[in-house]
Amino acid sequence: RYLRIAAKQIGALVGRTLAAHMQPRGWKTRDTGLCAVTYEALPTAKERRDGAIEAVEAAGIPAGQVYKAPMSKPDLEQATNATLNLLTQHPETKHWLICGMNDPVVMGAVRAMEQRGFTKDNVIGVGIDGDQVAIDELNRAVVTGFYGTVLLSARKHGSDTVEMMYQWIKNGKAPPLDTRTTGVVITRANYHQVLKEQGVSE
């Protein structure tokens, strides 16, 4: 039985969100690239990245405009450095979508792009976790390229797991073979409400 978080599906939600918010901006596909900040040593990170890449490609971004920015360590500083290297290699790209394994990694990529003159008008970054790094960024007075994050539904995951285990032990009702949970996208527009609904804040 799988009582865990669905890494690839979460990545796919990131990818669909990126594509959905690129289209209303009128970005031309030929001018747009995906910066996928990667950390190959961690299988969960790879699953999240692959899910995002597949969703973005399904939305119309060619595989040749999907660029991986490998990190030696999964943190903000390494993500910044990896993205700066990528930007040097692809000066032709006018608009950037950003995905990565978590919020600090995506934040590092956003910061790197700010150093090269990119702003919220030509960057869309979507993180994963909904941690304090993301919440602080969404709460800033200045809007940046960090559009939002996928808040992992820890409350639902925990409560569902407890209920399934209770039913399995007490009544012999085995849970489904795959019970992985995903998350919900939070942005400046909805994070107060969603955090409250998830029991993360008052």
Side-chain angles (χ1 to χ4, degrees):
R1 298 296 190 268
Y2 292 89
L3 305 177
R4 61 188 180 95
I5 300 295
K8 192 167 185 180
Q9 289 91 324
I10 289 167
L13 178 56
V14 169
R16 292 194 300 271
T17 303
L18 290 170
H21 290 280
M22 162 193 162
Q23 293 164 359
R25 299 184 184 205
W27 292 1
K28 294 180 180 177
T29 300
R30 67 172 181 268
D31 296 329
T32 304
L34 173 68
C35 168
V37 189
T38 64
Y39 184 64
E40 299 292 341
L42 188 62
T44 299
K46 184 177 182 301
E47 287 182 48
R48 290 178 176 187
R49 178 204 68 198
D50 289 349
I53 289 174
E54 289 175 14
V56 167
E57 290 181 350
I61 297 295
Q65 290 166 220
V66 172
Y67 309 114
K68 295 177 182 176
M71 302 175 289
S72 57
K73 266 192 322 187
D75 60 27
L76 190 149
E77 181 180 1
Q78 287 293 318
T80 301
N81 293 336
T83 303
L84 286 171
N85 289 336
L86 180 65
L87 291 172
T88 298
Q89 296 166 20
H90 296 284
E92 76 284 356
T93 303
K94 298 178 181 178
H95 310 295
W96 284 101
L97 308 173
I98 305 172
C99 68
M101 62 180 285
N102 58 27
D103 293 323
V105 164
V106 172
M107 190 73 67
V110 170
R111 294 292 179 258
M113 293 192 177
E114 289 172 349
Q115 291 183 35
R116 296 293 175 86
F118 291 94
T119 69
K120 63 178 179 60
D121 296 324
N122 40 36
V123 172
I124 305 171
V126 176
I128 297 174
D129 284 342
D131 65 15
Q132 195 59 47
V133 169
I135 302 307
D136 289 346
E137 188 74 1
L138 295 176
N139 200 40
R140 285 181 62 188
V142 177
V143 180
T144 70
F146 189 89
Y147 174 78
T149 181
V150 175
L151 175 68
L152 302 185
S153 302
R155 185 177 184 181
K156 175 175 172 54
H157 182 67
S159 63
D160 286 358
T161 298
V162 170
E163 177 62 23
M164 285 186 288
M165 291 300 294
Y166 174 81
Q167 293 296 334
W168 198 1
I169 294 167
K170 185 176 186 296
N171 300 319
K173 180 183 177 182
L177 289 175
D178 192 338
T179 59
R180 289 174 290 188
T181 55
T182 56
V184 58
V185 177
I186 59 173
T187 67
R188 282 176 169 262
N190 72 352
Y191 79 93
H192 286 292
Q193 177 184 347
V194 174
L195 292 179
K196 187 174 181 180
E197 290 171 352
Q198 293 290 322
V200 179
S201 67
E202 297 298 330

